[in-house]
Amino acid sequence: MTDPSPRNEAEDWWRTALVRMEPNHIDIRGRPIEDLIGTIGFVEMIWLCLRGDLPSEGQARLLEAALTAAVDHGPQAPSIAAARMAATCGVGLNSAMATGLNMLGDVHGGAGEQAVSLYRLALSLVEEGDAPKVAAERAVEHWAANHGKYMPGFGHRFHTRDPRAPRLMELVKIAQDKGVVSGRSRDIALRIEQHLSDKKGRAIPMNIDGATAVIYAELGFEAPLARGLFCLSRSVGILAHAWEQTQQGGRNKGPLPRGHLWTYLEAGMR
Amino acid sequence: MTDPSPRNEAEDWWRTALVRMEPNHIDIRGRPIEDLIGTIGFVEMIWLCLRGDLPSEGQARLLEAALTAAVDHGPQAPSIAAARMAATCGVGLNSAMATGLNMLGDVHGGAGEQAVSLYRLALSLVEEGDAPKVAAERAVEHWAANHGKYMPGFGHRFHTRDPRAPRLMELVKIAQDKGVVSGRSRDIALRIEQHLSDKKGRAIPMNIDGATAVIYAELGFEAPLARGLFCLSRSVGILAHAWEQTQQGGRNKGPLPRGHLWTYLEAGMR
Amino acid sequence: MTDPSPRNEAEDWWRTALVRMEPNHIDIRGRPIEDLIGTIGFVEMIWLCLRGDLPSEGQARLLEAALTAAVDHGPQAPSIAAARMAATCGVGLNSAMATGLNMLGDVHGGAGEQAVSLYRLALSLVEEGDAPKVAAERAVEHWAANHGKYMPGFGHRFHTRDPRAPRLMELVKIAQDKGVVSGRSRDIALRIEQHLSDKKGRAIPMNIDGATAVIYAELGFEAPLARGLFCLSRSVGILAHAWEQTQQGGRNKGPLPRGHLWTYLEAGMR
Amino acid sequence: MTDPSPRNEAEDWWRTALVRMEPNHIDIRGRPIEDLIGTIGFVEMIWLCLRGDLPSEGQARLLEAALTAAVDHGPQAPSIAAARMAATCGVGLNSAMATGLNMLGDVHGGAGEQAVSLYRLALSLVEEGDAPKVAAERAVEHWAANHGKYMPGFGHRFHTRDPRAPRLMELVKIAQDKGVVSGRSRDIALRIEQHLSDKKGRAIPMNIDGATAVIYAELGFEAPLARGLFCLSRSVGILAHAWEQTQQGGRNKGPLPRGHLWTYLEAGMR
């Protein structure tokens, strides 16, 4: 950035710290690509790209568990259904995948990101002097006032106990015991779970988003990356479903079987 | 599928072998999700979703090398540039990622898929009795006749020797020596590289797409999945760039710095 | 393009004949935007952008009829279903629209483009000396050999007689009688329809794609623009459905009502 | 919805008031499609789909002016640039269009929607008893407090006076004089413009988004549809640019000309 020539102005416009390139040379975050291939794992590469350094073994395995847990939840998920439909419409697998990914918006893909924010809000209250139990309550209250009744990361419309969450939390505990993570996000998340259940009078257990958010928060990822990492994870299921649909065949797959028509809402029914 | 009631007709319409679900229970390819989390790696999960079984250790590491190698090639790639621009337009990270992924079409993301097809075409000629050298030549000829001058997987507009390819090929060789893969796709790819270079009178070395295609072909993936796997890999770079741009800030980032305007083509210049 | 400075090189990279801009001045195809607004219609603007000149009144009305005819075919179309699902996932209306549009690929959105190509193939045979009837037969034969059994623009899986086609063809006939179009594409399309029906032994009537393709071909649009224009048209329905769904509410709308699960394919059922 | 059978449950899940279908019959908003084709214009069809009834002639022309005005603002817009790049990546025109459309998020495509909300906020204050001048000031203040410094619909980073706005406002005034619209949104928008300029000490003129928002608000569209309608409008430019790029050719068009590389940010420069 020493030369103020127009060429450099355009090149500066696209500045990045991620990748350096010269003919026959590619550095990712300052490391020659050929030194990384076959040396570090895919999860380590994900961390390196997003964070700029390499994770410890314990950090990598915890991130890996989160990425592994969220790959698929079946074709009733709109992202998966849309990717399967797209696969019958005459577009490439990349576009079928993009169709599914594009749907992981604030509602379908944002719960992990929101849960990280919720935990950090509660932890900031602890730092300001609240007891953890009080901080959990106040964070929930604040969230509901600002974002409405859906508490990200807790409860599930299908499972009464999401089987992925306890397993992930078990891994966080092990990592905490080994000193890999501090356990502070885990602790506050458990307190929020307790508070929500007490308030409701029945268990409102942590779900996959709440548990992966604990991991992302413990590992120091910024909240929006919880969505980004979920997108990487769910992309696996999106691809697998789009490919299975490709093999099943079909043209212009609609949401209902052939022969079905939607209900038409006449004037009085709308 | 024993009950022909309408409910089952609709449920059959969305049939899948990927995932089974009951309340509090999720199976991925017949395995309880909680048995997979923290037990198998992310790469193994990718394989499981796409293939229905688990890879051997050698297969997993080879797949991992391919996935690791292709994560990023910088913001001059239209997919990366578009994702960075999208990140300044007021959409979520998922939509920024979808924007980039959607661009990995036949030209930008299809070379790996095409190279797998090219190798398999050549190998089918070998099976029909051609000597490998002849099969390589005939496959190239056939490809050019049907698809034009771009030979997928060989040559690079920026690198004279793509640093990722030799490293990947080295890993294939090691896997071959260990009996993980047969080496047949590697062999035919090398013959194609030799033939192209001989024909051109200068080195036309294998590039990243040609080398990852060797791996995907050796591992038995169908050609379209070479694109799908590339999409998973490049999604990492797309996410990392979108996130870096988010942190750099900006609103409605155009391709050129502020103050630049495009050249207007008057009537005679079009 | 007289100055070879780097700045101009970058600006030339984004050259366009569509729009010229200076501060406080915007030309579309060489015409000041303020002279177009409120003076020409939206359909005329579409033509101007795509073709570089303004249509005659007769041309504009024929294009308008085609654009009007294809706006919607209900939520069993995957593009519409996906846009409605996206509208419940926490993304903006633009992303819901993009989701639907992205699905109008070769199968879902390509029939008009393909039909234009089919008609032009047949007309080129006429120009080479074939009688129109023979040209229609040979074009169909050639298409089937190269692209498979689906003959773009004819037959419909739901309607035995698509109600949009005869109305559009009536308008083409009127335009032909007024000298707006030559009627050559209409004539060859009717011959193809006749040939297909004769061959099949039952009516294989022209559908919406076949009829709009007649219009686009008569108006001189290149084949890929038939898809582009269909996309503009169907975007209206996509937007309207996404908006209706937004008003109906819902979160993460799946393809089937709550409580439904897909059929799981056990090993023997795949 | 009288029959609670499972089939109807699934069909009710996709209920819509937009379109009714039977074999050989399609109704749009209760009107047979063949009665609409060639009878109503494309703009009238857009209104019919979104609103459920037909507009008056004056309403249709005002909507048409807004749709016509916003079709293109050149390839420095990220949506246009991305669509042009996508057109070189081996995807269909529909996917190139989706790529551009997907970028019209809160920042790139949301100003019109936000301006409608801003006007309605100010008008609600008038209804509560504020003088219009005071309401304009309070609405601006409230907006800035809740959404930050960018005031949607006013000012432009390139034009000091967006040439589209005064022309659109002139058409609104004519429509107001004819009794087509009330002029209340126009009035409050002008007061906001005046207030912003007074506060800043220099003209902060209404831009295209502010002016089209006046039209959409005057015509009674809900705020999110201002974005939806902008998407329909800009889709025209997106398509035209993608098509022009297709004709210019190129493969994997990056943001900068070949031979350019981005600036690599070394550790100290980030």
Side-chain angles (χ1 to χ4, degrees):
Chain A
M1 291 203 279
T2 51
D3 178 355
S5 77
R7 172 156 176 161
N8 280 8
E9 187 196 355
E11 296 183 349
D12 286 355
W13 186 245
W14 288 99
R15 68 192 178 281
T16 177
L18 258 159
V19 54
R20 189 172 73 82
M21 218 158 80
E22 289 169 17
N24 305 334
H25 193 86
I26 303 169
D27 277 355
I28 303 288
R29 295 283 189 191
R31 295 157 199 259
I33 186 79
E34 63 270 28
D35 294 354
L36 299 171
I37 299 170
T39 308
I40 67 168
F42 189 43
V43 172
E44 283 78 2
M45 179 57 106
I46 293 169
W47 181 295
L48 178 63
C49 286
L50 294 175
R51 301 284 288 262
D53 56 9
L54 284 171
S56 71
E57 175 65 16
Q59 290 171 320
R61 295 296 72 79
L62 209 50
L63 174 57
E64 182 149 45
L67 290 170
T68 303
V71 291
D72 191 20
H73 200 252
Q76 266 286 72
S79 54
I80 298 288
R84 292 189 77 115
M85 295 195 297
T88 70
C89 291
V91 298
L93 268 178
N94 63 302
S95 288
M97 291 172 73
T99 297
L101 204 55
N102 205 27
M103 283 182 166
L104 300 177
D106 289 349
V107 173
H108 191 14
E113 174 177 358
Q114 294 151 21
V116 170
S117 298
L118 174 65
Y119 302 159
R120 294 209 167 131
L121 171 62
L123 288 175
S124 72
L125 296 174
V126 172
E127 272 167 36
E128 289 167 14
D130 277 0
K133 186 175 174 344
V134 175
E137 291 173 22
R138 286 183 59 204
V140 165
E141 205 173 301
H142 186 273
W143 190 272
N146 284 276
H147 304 285
K149 63 176 177 174
Y150 287 96
M151 202 54 53
F154 297 90
H156 201 285
R157 70 192 204 195
F158 183 76
H159 306 293
T160 54
R161 180 178 167 285
D162 184 332
R164 299 163 290 186
R167 175 60 179 145
L168 287 169
M169 289 298 277
E170 179 185 22
L171 294 169
V172 176
K173 181 65 174 62
I174 294 169
Q176 180 182 347
D177 292 345
K178 289 184 182 164
V180 173
V181 297
S182 75
R184 295 179 68 236
S185 295
R186 174 178 167 272
D187 178 61
I188 206 72
L190 290 173
R191 285 183 189 274
I192 289 172
E193 183 183 43
Q194 187 62 51
H195 168 62
L196 291 171
S197 302
D198 289 349
K199 211 175 63 169
K200 201 80 174 184
R202 60 175 173 82
I204 308 287
M206 192 182 290
N207 59 33
I208 175 80
D209 298 309
T212 51
V214 166
I215 291 180
Y216 298 138
E218 290 283 355
L219 293 175
F221 284 98
E222 297 205 46
L225 284 180
R227 188 189 314 195
L229 289 163
F230 172 60
C231 287
L232 288 184
S233 174
R234 186 54 58 95
S235 289
V236 176
I238 288 172
L239 170 60
H241 277 282
W243 176 239
E244 188 189 52
Q245 184 65 54
T246 302
Q247 292 175 301
Q248 288 178 5
R251 287 168 64 90
N252 297 332
K253 182 189 182 95
L256 302 178
R258 296 291 167 83
H260 281 254
L261 278 183
W262 59 93
T263 298
Y264 173 63
L265 296 174
E266 308 216 28
M269 300 164 70
R270 284 162 211 176
Chain B
M1 291 203 279
T2 52
D3 179 355
S5 77
R7 171 154 176 163
N8 280 7
E9 187 196 354
E11 296 183 350
D12 286 356
W13 185 245
W14 289 99
R15 68 192 177 281
T16 177
L18 257 159
V19 54
R20 190 172 74 82
M21 218 157 81
E22 289 169 17
N24 305 334
H25 193 85
I26 303 168
D27 277 355
I28 301 288
R29 295 284 190 190
R31 295 157 199 257
I33 186 79
E34 62 270 28
D35 294 353
L36 299 171
I37 298 170
T39 308
I40 68 168
F42 188 44
V43 171
E44 283 78 1
M45 179 56 106
I46 293 170
W47 182 294
L48 178 63
C49 286
L50 294 175
R51 302 283 288 261
D53 55 9
L54 283 171
S56 71
E57 174 66 15
Q59 290 172 321
R61 295 296 73 77
L62 209 49
L63 174 57
E64 182 149 45
L67 289 169
T68 303
V71 290
D72 191 20
H73 200 252
Q76 266 286 71
S79 54
I80 298 288
R84 293 189 76 116
M85 296 194 297
T88 69
C89 291
V91 298
L93 268 178
N94 63 302
S95 288
M97 291 172 73
T99 298
L101 204 54
N102 204 27
M103 282 182 167
L104 301 177
D106 289 348
V107 172
H108 190 15
E113 174 177 357
Q114 294 150 20
V116 170
S117 298
L118 174 66
Y119 301 160
R120 294 207 167 131
L121 171 63
L123 288 174
S124 73
L125 295 175
V126 172
E127 272 166 35
E128 289 168 16
D130 277 359
K133 187 175 174 342
V134 174
E137 291 173 21
R138 285 184 59 204
V140 165
E141 205 174 302
H142 187 273
W143 190 271
N146 283 276
H147 303 286
K149 64 176 177 174
Y150 287 96
M151 202 55 52
F154 297 89
H156 202 285
R157 71 192 201 193
F158 183 76
H159 306 293
T160 53
R161 179 177 168 285
D162 184 333
R164 298 163 293 186
R167 175 61 179 145
L168 288 169
M169 289 298 276
E170 179 184 24
L171 294 169
V172 176
K173 181 66 173 60
I174 293 169
Q176 179 181 346
D177 291 346
K178 289 184 182 164
V180 174
V181 297
S182 75
R184 294 180 68 237
S185 295
R186 174 179 167 272
D187 178 60
I188 206 72
L190 291 173
R191 286 184 188 273
I192 289 172
E193 182 183 45
Q194 187 62 51
H195 168 63
L196 291 171
S197 301
D198 289 350
K199 210 175 64 168
K200 202 78 173 184
R202 60 175 172 82
I204 308 288
M206 192 182 291
N207 58 33
I208 175 80
D209 299 308
T212 52
V214 165
I215 291 179
Y216 297 138
E218 291 283 353
L219 293 175
F221 285 98
E222 297 205 47
L225 283 179
R227 189 189 314 197
L229 289 163
F230 172 59
C231 287
L232 288 183
S233 174
R234 186 54 57 94
S235 289
V236 177
I238 289 172
L239 170 59
H241 277 281
W243 177 240
E244 187 188 52
Q245 183 66 54
T246 301
Q247 293 176 300
Q248 288 178 4
R251 287 169 63 90
N252 297 331
K253 182 189 181 97
L256 303 179
R258 297 291 168 83
H260 281 253
L261 277 182
W262 59 93
T263 298
Y264 174 63
L265 297 174
E266 309 216 29
M269 300 163 70
R270 283 160 210 175
Chain C
M1 292 204 279
T2 50
D3 179 357
S5 77
R7 171 157 177 159
N8 281 6
E9 188 196 353
E11 297 183 349
D12 286 355
W13 185 246
W14 287 100
R15 67 192 178 281
T16 176
L18 257 161
V19 54
R20 189 172 73 82
M21 219 158 79
E22 291 169 17
N24 306 332
H25 192 86
I26 303 168
D27 277 354
I28 302 289
R29 294 286 190 189
R31 295 158 201 256
I33 186 77
E34 63 269 30
D35 294 353
L36 298 171
I37 298 170
T39 307
I40 68 168
F42 189 44
V43 172
E44 283 78 1
M45 179 56 106
I46 293 169
W47 182 294
L48 178 64
C49 285
L50 294 175
R51 303 284 287 263
D53 56 9
L54 284 171
S56 71
E57 174 65 16
Q59 290 171 321
R61 296 296 72 77
L62 209 49
L63 174 58
E64 182 149 44
L67 289 170
T68 304
V71 290
D72 191 20
H73 201 251
Q76 267 286 72
S79 53
I80 298 288
R84 292 190 76 115
M85 295 195 297
T88 70
C89 292
V91 298
L93 269 179
N94 63 302
S95 288
M97 291 173 73
T99 297
L101 203 55
N102 204 27
M103 284 183 165
L104 300 177
D106 289 351
V107 172
H108 191 14
E113 175 176 358
Q114 294 151 20
V116 169
S117 298
L118 175 66
Y119 302 160
R120 292 207 169 132
L121 171 63
L123 288 174
S124 73
L125 296 174
V126 172
E127 272 166 35
E128 289 167 15
D130 276 0
K133 187 174 175 341
V134 175
E137 291 174 21
R138 288 183 58 204
V140 165
E141 206 173 301
H142 186 272
W143 190 272
N146 284 275
H147 304 285
K149 65 176 177 174
Y150 287 95
M151 202 53 54
F154 297 89
H156 201 285
R157 71 194 201 191
F158 184 76
H159 306 294
T160 53
R161 178 179 169 284
D162 184 332
R164 298 163 293 186
R167 174 60 179 145
L168 287 169
M169 290 298 276
E170 179 184 25
L171 293 169
V172 177
K173 181 66 173 62
I174 293 169
Q176 180 182 346
D177 291 346
K178 287 184 181 165
V180 173
V181 297
S182 76
R184 294 179 68 236
S185 295
R186 174 178 167 272
D187 178 61
I188 206 73
L190 290 173
R191 285 182 190 275
I192 290 171
E193 182 183 44
Q194 187 61 52
H195 168 62
L196 291 171
S197 301
D198 289 350
K199 211 174 64 169
K200 202 77 173 184
R202 62 175 170 82
I204 307 289
M206 192 182 292
N207 60 31
I208 175 79
D209 297 309
T212 52
V214 165
I215 290 179
Y216 297 138
E218 291 283 355
L219 293 175
F221 284 97
E222 296 204 47
L225 284 180
R227 189 189 313 194
L229 289 163
F230 172 59
C231 286
L232 288 184
S233 174
R234 187 52 60 93
S235 290
V236 176
I238 289 172
L239 170 59
H241 277 281
W243 177 240
E244 188 188 51
Q245 184 65 54
T246 302
Q247 293 175 301
Q248 288 177 4
R251 285 169 66 89
N252 297 333
K253 181 190 182 96
L256 302 178
R258 296 289 167 85
H260 281 254
L261 279 182
W262 59 94
T263 299
Y264 173 63
L265 296 175
E266 309 215 31
M269 300 163 71
R270 283 161 211 176
Chain D
M1 292 204 278
T2 51
D3 179 356
S5 77
R7 170 157 177 160
N8 280 6
E9 188 197 354
E11 296 184 348
D12 286 355
W13 186 245
W14 288 100
R15 68 193 178 282
T16 176
L18 258 161
V19 55
R20 190 173 73 82
M21 218 158 80
E22 291 169 16
N24 306 333
H25 192 86
I26 303 167
D27 277 353
I28 302 289
R29 295 283 190 190
R31 296 158 198 257
I33 186 78
E34 62 270 29
D35 295 353
L36 298 171
I37 299 170
T39 306
I40 68 168
F42 189 43
V43 172
E44 282 78 1
M45 180 57 105
I46 293 170
W47 182 294
L48 179 64
C49 286
L50 294 175
R51 302 284 287 264
D53 56 9
L54 284 171
S56 71
E57 175 65 17
Q59 289 171 320
R61 295 296 72 77
L62 209 50
L63 175 57
E64 182 150 44
L67 290 169
T68 303
V71 290
D72 190 21
H73 200 252
Q76 266 286 72
S79 54
I80 298 288
R84 293 190 75 115
M85 295 195 298
T88 70
C89 291
V91 298
L93 268 179
N94 63 302
S95 287
M97 290 172 73
T99 298
L101 204 54
N102 204 28
M103 285 183 165
L104 300 177
D106 288 350
V107 172
H108 191 14
E113 176 177 357
Q114 294 151 19
V116 169
S117 298
L118 174 66
Y119 301 160
R120 290 201 172 137
L121 170 63
L123 288 174
S124 73
L125 295 175
V126 171
E127 272 166 36
E128 289 167 15
D130 276 0
K133 186 174 174 349
V134 175
E137 290 174 21
R138 288 183 60 205
V140 164
E141 207 173 302
H142 187 272
W143 191 272
N146 284 276
H147 304 285
K149 64 176 178 173
Y150 287 96
M151 202 52 54
F154 298 89
H156 201 285
R157 71 192 201 192
F158 183 76
H159 305 293
T160 53
R161 179 179 168 284
D162 185 331
R164 297 163 293 186
R167 175 60 179 146
L168 287 169
M169 289 298 276
E170 179 184 25
L171 294 169
V172 177
K173 181 65 172 62
I174 293 170
Q176 180 182 345
D177 291 345
K178 288 184 181 165
V180 173
V181 296
S182 75
R184 293 180 68 238
S185 295
R186 174 179 167 271
D187 178 60
I188 206 73
L190 290 173
R191 284 183 191 275
I192 290 172
E193 182 183 43
Q194 186 62 52
H195 169 61
L196 291 170
S197 301
D198 289 351
K199 210 174 66 170
K200 201 78 173 185
R202 62 176 171 81
I204 307 288
M206 191 182 290
N207 60 32
I208 175 80
D209 297 308
T212 52
V214 165
I215 291 179
Y216 298 139
E218 291 282 356
L219 293 175
F221 284 97
E222 296 204 48
L225 283 180
R227 189 188 315 195
L229 289 163
F230 172 59
C231 286
L232 288 184
S233 175
R234 187 52 59 92
S235 290
V236 176
I238 289 172
L239 170 60
H241 277 281
W243 177 240
E244 188 187 53
Q245 183 65 54
T246 302
Q247 293 175 300
Q248 288 176 5
R251 286 168 65 90
N252 297 333
K253 181 191 183 95
L256 302 178
R258 297 288 168 85
H260 282 253
L261 279 182
W262 59 92
T263 298
Y264 173 63
L265 296 174
E266 309 215 30
M269 301 163 70
R270 282 160 211 173

